[in-house]
């Protein structure tokens, strides 16, 4: 490896990027990879717990990148309008900008930087960090080596890390109030982390008071979503959808994967941000 090369791998706290870190350590031990996590300050506690376990496996610290300004500052800069799938200012300011501020001086010194991104072989590369500098190269080892979703699960299980605990009730890492969450995930956030749910309600009410056209969850406010009758409706709808997808899923005795059904799979609407959820 050239002394003017640098290898970096961003961790979101999600299963795919964690599996990629494990995979690179096991299959490319000659690469001195810098692992980094861009901390928004609004992450689930389970994310930090999992990153600690991952550091132990990798045998080296995970660099924490922090925005100079937090979510509350940027919310005011955007006139108290909540981020949304149409205006993802949170990703821009809290994920991509800190990475650029860290990596750009390295690039300016003349280093060639290879950034490893956890896009699997069974999903399209639709977005992510698109390199603007000629000496920053994005690599997709899982796509190149044919690693799919069951393959990611096998990597994590065989390493002893397992899956992050939040996958028991949620299908994504990222901020507690991520707008990509499905409605059942909002319900479960209220059940698991009520203080985070109340914080999301506060942000939403303030945004609506300032004329924001967006609520966190499409079509209804969190105050409406958490009404007992609505919660029961959401849970019943999710249960029916889950049974339908289980019935349709082909069984493979050599590769059982019932546990790999994500909440997004249940709703048939995969929604994720590469910088936050991979």
């Amino acid at each position: 490896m050239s002394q003017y090369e640098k290898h970096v791998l961003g961790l979101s706290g999600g299963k795919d990027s964690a599996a990629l870190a494990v995979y690179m350590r096991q299959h490319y031990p000659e690469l001195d990879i810098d692992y980094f996590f861009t901390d928004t300050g609004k992450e689930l506690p389970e994310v930090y717990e999992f990153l600690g376990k991952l550091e132990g496996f990798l045998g080296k610290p995970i660099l924490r990148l922090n925005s100079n300004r937090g979510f509350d500052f940027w919310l005011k800069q955007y006139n108290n309008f909540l981020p949304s799938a149409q205006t993802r200012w949170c990703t821009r300011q809290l994920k991509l900008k800190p990475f650029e501020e860290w990596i750009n001086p390295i690039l300016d010194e003349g280093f060639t930087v290879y950034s490893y991104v956890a896009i699997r072989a069974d999903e399209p590369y639709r977005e992510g960090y698109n390199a603007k500098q000629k000496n920053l190269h994005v690599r997709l080892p899982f796509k190149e080596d044919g690693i799919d979703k069951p393959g990611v699960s096998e990597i994590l299980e065989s390493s002893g890390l397992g899956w992050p605990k939040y996958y028991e009730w949620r299908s994504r890492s990222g901020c507690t109030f991520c707008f990509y969450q499905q409605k059942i995930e909002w319900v479960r956030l209220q059940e698991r982390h009520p203080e985070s749910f109340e914080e999301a309600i506060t942000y939403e009410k303030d945004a609506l008071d300032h004329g924001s056209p967006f609520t966190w969850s499409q079509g209804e406010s969190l105050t409406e979503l958490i009404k007992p009758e609505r919660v029961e409706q959401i849970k019943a709808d999710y249960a029916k959808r889950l049974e339908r997808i289980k019935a349709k899923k082909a069984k493979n005795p050599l590769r059982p994967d019932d546990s790999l059904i994500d909440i997004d799979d249940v709703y048939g609407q995969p929604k994720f941000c590469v910088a936050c959820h991979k």
Side-chain angles (χ1 to χ4, degrees), residues 102-121:
W102 172 57
I103 208 68
N104 281 345
I106 297 170
L107 294 168
D108 291 343
E109 290 178 13
F111 280 80
T112 297
V113 175
Y114 296 92
S115 177
Y116 300 91
V117 179
I119 302 296
R120 303 189 312 262

Side-chain angles (χ1 to χ4, degrees), residues 176-188:
T176 57
F177 43 68
C178 178
F179 50 80
Y180 277 125
Q181 290 179 100
Q182 302 286 0
K183 294 184 186 294
I184 189 66
E185 292 176 297
W186 282 110
V187 169
R188 291 173 173 177

Side-chain angles (χ1 to χ4, degrees), residues 37 68 87 94 99-100 112-113 149 163 188 200-201 215 259 272:
F37 170 67
N68 291 328
T87 56
L94 299 176
F99 173 71
E100 291 170 348
T112 297
V113 175
K149 188 176 179 180
W163 288 37
R188 291 173 173 177
I201 285 182
T215 51
S259 63
F272 67 88

Side-chain angles (χ1 to χ4, degrees), residues 49-272:
E49 178 186 349
F50 186 68
L51 289 174
K53 289 175 61 178
L54 185 57
E55 278 185 324
F57 178 87
L58 296 173
K60 64 188 304 185
I62 296 169
L63 177 66
R64 264 65 167 181
L65 305 181
N66 298 91
S67 172
N68 291 328
R69 306 283 191 174
F71 179 85
D72 292 350
F73 171 83
W74 289 111
L75 181 62
K76 297 214 175 297
Q77 295 303 302
Y78 286 88
N79 299 315
N80 289 95
F81 277 30
L82 296 177
S84 69
Q86 292 75 37
T87 56
R88 292 188 300 150
W89 58 257
C90 50
T91 303
R92 171 73 233 157
Q93 301 297 346
L94 299 176
K95 288 290 185 180
L96 297 182
K97 189 174 181 180
F99 173 71
E100 291 170 348
E101 290 174 347
W102 172 57
I103 208 68
N104 281 345
I106 297 170
L107 294 168
D108 291 343
E109 290 178 13
F111 280 80
T112 297
V113 175
Y114 296 92
S115 177
Y116 300 91
V117 179
I119 302 296
R120 303 189 312 262
D122 57 344
E123 60 186 359
Y125 181 44
R126 297 172 296 188
E127 52 178 316
Y129 189 84
N130 297 314
K132 298 174 184 176
Q133 299 91 335
K134 64 179 181 179
N135 51 332
L136 175 59
H137 304 281
V138 174
R139 292 287 183 265
L140 310 174
F142 282 168
K143 276 195 98 62
E144 294 166 5
D145 296 348
I147 306 296
D148 58 6
K149 188 176 179 180
V152 162
S153 181
E154 289 173 8
I155 290 170
L156 290 177
E157 294 297 341
S158 63
S159 70
L161 284 171
W163 288 37
K165 286 185 178 179
Y166 61 79
Y167 277 103
E168 295 172 358
W169 60 277
R170 198 181 197 230
S171 64
R172 71 199 74 246
S173 52
C175 293
T176 57
F177 43 68
C178 178
F179 50 80
Y180 277 125
Q181 290 179 100
Q182 302 286 0
K183 294 184 186 294
I184 189 66
E185 292 176 297
W186 282 110
V187 169
R188 291 173 173 177
L189 177 67
Q190 196 279 332
E191 294 172 343
R192 301 280 185 132
H193 298 287
E195 71 290 343
S196 295
F197 189 86
E198 287 302 317
E199 181 183 48
I201 285 182
T202 300
Y203 282 132
E204 185 178 71
K205 285 181 175 178
D206 190 52
L208 293 174
D209 288 345
H210 283 80
S212 173
F214 305 117
T215 51
W216 288 122
S217 183
Q218 186 175 2
E220 61 187 330
S221 69
L222 294 184
T223 304
E224 294 167 328
L225 182 149
I226 207 58
K227 290 180 179 179
E229 62 274 17
R230 181 67 178 122
V231 169
E232 290 306 311
Q233 185 182 39
I234 291 170
K235 287 183 175 181
D237 176 68
Y238 174 75
K240 289 178 182 177
R241 290 173 179 267
L242 181 59
E243 288 306 311
R244 281 201 298 267
I245 197 169
K246 282 184 176 180
K248 292 179 181 178
K249 205 169 181 63
K251 298 290 184 181
N252 182 348
L254 299 179
R255 210 179 196 189
D257 58 357
D258 280 351
S259 63
L260 303 184
I261 299 175
D262 284 341
I263 292 173
D264 282 343
D265 296 333
V266 172
Y267 287 97
Q269 299 171 328
K271 299 189 293 185
F272 67 88

